[in-house]
Amino acid sequence: MTPERYELVFADGAEGEEDVVIVSRTEYTGAGGHPVYVDPSGIVRAEISDQGEVRILASGAGQVPARVLRARALS
């Protein structure tokens, strides 16, 4: 069963701090054929495989995708 939501943890860059973003599954699939998840703002978009591999998708011009430290299925 494909999770409806994930918690994505990003490195903040400031003294090892972390940012946590919750993303929810959309009706779309990414280039790899896996579901695309998005945060409420629409800025963070990620394709997440059934193995928990995350590929951040650019949501705007000039955006540099951040590296995800880990992803945890929430539901």
Side-chain angles (χ1 to χ4, degrees):
M1 187 162 112
T2 304
E4 290 295 317
R5 298 180 319 137
Y6 273 91
E7 175 183 77
L8 301 180
V9 180
F10 298 88
D12 184 337
E15 299 179 25
E17 294 186 23
E18 299 176 340
D19 284 330
V20 177
V21 177
I22 306 297
V23 292
S24 299
R25 190 173 71 182
T26 68
E27 62 190 45
Y28 302 105
T29 55
H34 304 290
V36 171
Y37 292 78
V38 66
D39 79 322
S41 73
I43 294 171
V44 177
R45 295 171 38 94
E47 179 180 4
I48 305 176
S49 77
D50 54 355
Q51 301 297 312
E53 299 163 320
V54 180
R55 184 168 60 109
I56 298 296
L57 307 172
S59 61
Q63 183 181 20
V64 178
R67 188 174 68 88
V68 175
L69 296 177
R70 63 186 171 276
R72 183 172 65 101
L74 296 178
S75 55

